[in-house]
Amino acid sequence: MRIGIDVGGTNTDAVVIDGTRVVTAFKTPTTPDVLEGIESALRGVLRSVAAKEIGAVMLGTTHFANALVQAQRLTPVAVLRLGLPSGAALPPLVNWPEGLRQVVRGEVFMLHGGYEFDGREIAPFDEDEVRRAAVRVRELGLKVAAVSAVFAPVKDDMERRTAEILLEEVPGLEVTLSSSIGSVGLLERENAAVLNATLLPLAEEIVGSFGRALAGLGLRCRFYLTQNDGTLMAAEYARRFPVLTISSGPTNSMRGAAYLSGLKDAVVIDVGGTTTDVGVLVGGFPRAAARTVEICGVQTNFRMPDVYSFGLGGGSRVDLASGLTGPTSVGYRLTQEAYVFGGATLTATDVAVAGGRAVVGDGGRVPVEADRANGLLRAMDLRVAAAVDRMKPSREPLPAIVVGGGSILIPDAIEGTSQVIRPEHFAVANAIGAAIAQVGGEIDKVFDLEGVSREEVLARARAEATARAVEAGAKPGTAQIVDFEEVPLAYLPSRASRIRMKSVGDLEEVG
């Protein structure tokens, strides 16, 4: 059996899955100290299942996203870019939000090196120059570093050698290589590496604390964190790549929606306490964003789910004077502040109860007449329909799967959809998505096809993607390619292609 946990803005949910059966589920308010809420959710499900029966635990957490949003608990980063004499016009951290840049920037080093698209050197690697930079990192007392090189996805040996020198000069330094985390596009790939590096000490703390919490509850099994693409990574891998968990919350809900409904192609509407997230399932996995993705105002280029979020949730505050609902929310204090629970703040949940759409708490306490409530609900419905229309791949109606604790706000019919499905256990779909996930690994690189066959290049790509899945915790021999994209780069003088492959494998449950 597995336990899946998902930490949301309002609730922390936990479920126990035995094969394809949901054994038990537990929902508890998210606490200011997120780990307290996780422990509470675990204790809730362990009332029904013995700890020794659990083979693995999967966690979807907001820790790292919250740290970036709040610019707190981040570590200053030494940023080393290999690209001189070119590549200096736009320095590292350019166009970052000023507040976040001030917190994250430790020191920036512009160094010689890097490659052209076909693997030719821009400039020779200068080992002495890198070593001088490493000495300066040691003098400044910096604990983490991010290394990027021009066209490192084509050839990454300069990045790897830079990391070796850094570790020689600064023992204990934690280093993120851009080639291990992003794809083509220097600035975006470099940004992803810097974001990952600044989160590394926090990742060590969070993963260690979670491991101790599991042990304290008698859970001796392995545990995993959910990734942005709907797959898992082992705790040890999460320590190295925490940024890959940033958008795992909506992804977990979408994977859980696919599992609970049996549909592989549909719109998913996930309503939480603060936001509604709308995405599209393609083949049972979230459709990936084709554009550059911003994280807290920073452009990155690793794969993220294509999700549209807007400020409507069960805890959204309602302003009767303007008729607006959200974007501010009472969040995890819904059960203390909403009228139906004895509070004095008008929320979307209160409106749903007053309008007869839901039966929660004491509806008699809501100071809104039914007609007024129904008018507010119609305005909410229009926002949901507009979001669905925005995300659909065509004008043809798709089924909509509604999940999340705040989904009582959603009507039984939505314009632009063929039907609205509320599967069993819809309120904890996020935790179910975490529990049923497999372990994944992905590559996104440029391959030169000069002098080699396409079949040889694809075999190399498959091997690299499979190796990453195994490194992330997949059982050897179980990984399979589930997504593949090849884009010939016709504008280049040589035969080159950008190849993206995702490999997914089973995890090994150890009791």
Side-chain angles (χ1 to χ4, degrees):
M1 287 189 281
R2 303 178 178 184
I3 294 178
I5 307 169
D6 189 89
V7 182
T10 303
N11 292 304
T12 296
D13 302 333
V15 299
V16 176
I17 297 285
D18 184 5
T20 59
R21 181 174 63 94
V22 177
V23 177
T24 187
F26 188 83
K27 184 182 288 285
T28 185
T30 296
T31 53
D33 180 352
V34 177
L35 278 170
E36 287 183 12
I38 291 173
E39 291 183 21
S40 177
L42 283 168
R43 284 193 292 268
V45 294
L46 289 175
R47 293 171 190 158
S48 304
V49 178
K52 64 182 180 181
E53 297 182 67
I54 303 301
V57 177
M58 293 77 174
L59 171 67
T61 178
T62 59
H63 277 97
F64 305 119
N66 291 345
L68 292 174
V69 169
Q70 299 168 14
Q72 295 178 353
R73 305 178 73 184
L74 304 177
T75 301
V77 182
V79 186
L80 294 85
R81 180 193 290 177
L82 304 166
L84 295 179
S86 62
L90 297 174
L93 310 182
V94 69
N95 285 340
W96 278 48
E98 183 59 30
L100 186 59
R101 178 170 54 238
Q102 289 180 359
V103 173
V104 171
R105 189 185 191 279
E107 187 65 88
V108 171
F109 302 91
M110 302 291 289
L111 309 173
H112 288 81
Y115 292 97
E116 302 287 357
F117 68 90
D118 58 0
R120 289 180 292 119
E121 289 184 354
I122 293 174
F125 181 77
D126 189 334
E127 187 158 324
D128 292 335
E129 183 182 47
V130 174
R131 201 168 292 278
R132 287 193 297 271
V135 170
R136 180 59 179 159
V137 170
R138 185 180 66 231
E139 292 172 348
L140 291 170
L142 298 172
K143 305 298 183 184
V144 297
V147 179
S148 64
V150 179
F151 273 108
V154 175
K155 199 171 182 180
D156 65 357
D157 60 326
M158 288 190 186
E159 284 195 355
R160 288 187 285 105
R161 180 56 187 148
T162 298
E164 290 172 358
I165 294 172
L166 284 169
L167 292 174
E168 289 170 8
E169 296 292 340
V170 194
L173 184 72
E174 297 186 79
V175 184
T176 296
L177 304 184
S178 77
S179 55
S180 68
I181 205 165
S183 60
V184 294
L186 174 63
L187 290 178
E188 294 86 355
R189 173 166 41 83
E190 181 176 73
N191 288 343
V194 174
L195 288 174
N196 191 75
T198 193
L199 291 168
L200 287 172
L202 179 61
E204 182 70 27
E205 176 188 338
I206 295 304
V207 172
S209 296
F210 187 57
R212 289 189 293 273
L214 293 180
L217 294 169
L219 292 162
R220 308 295 177 182
C221 54
R222 295 187 70 183
F223 68 95
Y224 300 78
L225 272 70
T226 56
Q227 298 193 68
N228 301 323
D229 63 358
T231 62
L232 300 169
M233 56 181 170
E236 299 79 14
Y237 197 77
R239 281 188 170 99
R240 295 170 50 204
F241 299 111
V243 78
L244 296 181
T245 73
I246 293 298
S247 189
S248 64
T251 303
N252 289 341
S253 294
M254 294 179 70
R255 289 283 288 139
Y259 174 84
L260 292 171
S261 67
L263 296 177
K264 294 187 177 295
D265 300 287
V267 175
V268 176
I269 304 170
D270 176 23
V271 190
T274 301
T275 63
T276 293
D277 301 322
V278 181
V280 176
L281 287 171
V282 179
F285 281 86
R287 181 179 66 194
R291 61 189 182 278
T292 297
V293 176
E294 282 197 3
I295 299 176
C296 301
V298 178
Q299 291 188 331
T300 67
N301 63 1
F302 53 86
R303 303 297 283 188
M304 297 276 279
D306 189 7
V307 175
Y308 175 64
S309 300
F310 59 100
L312 176 63
S316 294
R317 291 185 173 90
V318 179
D319 183 351
L320 286 177
S322 64
L324 296 177
T325 301
T328 62
S329 170
V330 298
Y332 64 84
R333 293 190 56 80
L334 176 66
T335 55
Q336 287 83 44
E337 297 196 21
Y339 275 100
V340 292
F341 297 118
T345 302
L346 186 63
T347 68
T349 296
D350 296 315
V351 172
V353 172
R357 190 168 286 183
V359 180
V360 178
D362 183 3
R365 297 194 73 261
V366 182
V368 177
E369 297 295 327
D371 288 347
R372 178 67 165 133
N374 284 321
L376 293 167
L377 289 171
R378 282 193 293 272
M380 297 181 206
D381 296 346
L382 289 174
R383 295 171 66 188
V384 173
V388 169
D389 189 60
R390 171 178 178 153
M391 296 303 295
K392 284 193 310 179
S394 71
R395 297 181 62 182
E396 294 298 316
L398 279 175
I401 311 168
V402 179
V403 297
S407 58
I408 57 172
L409 304 181
I410 304 299
D412 292 331
I414 302 171
E415 186 177 349
T417 67
S418 58
Q419 60 178 321
V420 173
I421 301 167
R422 300 175 194 271
E424 187 180 11
H425 304 297
F426 66 88
V428 290
N430 47 6
I432 290 171
I436 57 95
Q438 294 175 291
V439 181
E442 185 173 358
I443 64 160
D444 189 344
K445 300 178 65 173
V446 175
F447 290 85
D448 187 358
L449 276 71
E450 286 293 333
V452 295
S453 68
R454 177 175 176 272
E455 289 70 24
E456 290 177 283
V457 170
L458 292 181
R460 278 177 52 201
R462 280 193 295 270
E464 290 187 32
T466 299
R468 288 204 178 181
V470 171
E471 186 182 8
K475 187 188 302 184
T478 66
Q480 296 182 334
I481 303 299
V482 298
D483 196 10
F484 164 63
E485 181 181 2
E486 179 182 9
V487 181
L489 304 181
Y491 55 87
L492 298 180
S494 67
R495 295 177 61 227
S497 286
R498 177 181 177 181
I499 295 176
R500 183 182 65 83
M501 279 191 183
K502 180 164 73 175
S503 179
V504 172
D506 296 333
L507 59 90
E508 188 168 3
E509 298 184 22
V510 181

